[in-house]
Amino acid sequence: QVQLVESGGGLVQPGGSVRLSCRASGIIFSDYVLGWYRQAPGKERELVAQITRGDYTYYEDVVKGRFTISRDNAKNTVYLQMNSLKPEDTAVYYCSARYSGTSTVAAWGQGTQVTVSS
């Protein structure tokens, strides 16, 4: 059974930081490209960050320099470190797993709410 479980969301002050975690089970973790998506109210779900098996990373322009994606294959966990948070970062964040070489997300996390507000 494929399962991605997220944690770390919550209410964060503007300018603050939060670290999201997503632990996977039911997949060979090292074979997958891992990503973080987010969906704000009334908006489309968008890819925020991605990391490949070779640790190549991609970031959406608006988060570049503020967010860092990383993975720990031994722990089957992908992280999203978010710094210098802005109210515009408020969204539900979803982790994802995509088999390397494919274009379709194979598994999604349940989503975790990140609210940036004073």
Side-chain angles (χ1 to χ4, degrees):
Q1 187 72 37
V2 178
Q3 187 175 29
L4 275 59
V5 180
E6 303 169 358
S7 61
L11 178 62
V12 189
Q13 296 282 331
S17 298
V18 68
R19 182 179 175 89
L20 304 182
S21 299
C22 174
R23 189 177 189 278
S25 61
I27 61 171
I28 302 174
F29 192 77
S30 60
D31 288 343
Y32 284 78
V33 176
L34 305 171
W36 287 94
Y37 289 73
R38 69 184 182 187
Q39 188 166 21
K43 303 294 184 181
E44 296 287 323
R45 186 175 298 187
E46 63 179 358
L47 178 65
V48 175
Q50 179 179 274
I51 185 166
T52 70
R53 296 190 296 173
D55 288 342
Y56 178 85
T57 57
Y58 161 85
Y59 298 96
E60 184 184 27
D61 286 344
V62 297
V63 309
K64 193 173 297 181
R66 299 188 296 121
F67 291 10
T68 302
I69 188 171
S70 62
R71 64 191 294 164
D72 187 337
N73 290 343
K75 296 181 179 179
N76 286 358
T77 301
V78 59
Y79 306 95
L80 185 67
Q81 178 69 45
M82 301 187 289
N83 300 326
S84 302
L85 284 163
K86 306 174 181 179
E88 305 94 277
D89 296 318
T90 296
V92 178
Y93 285 73
Y94 301 88
C95 63
S96 67
R98 172 172 60 82
Y99 191 78
S100 184
T102 71
S103 60
T104 304
V105 173
W108 293 95
Q110 81 281 4
T112 184
Q113 176 72 44
V114 175
T115 301
V116 184
S117 176
S118 59

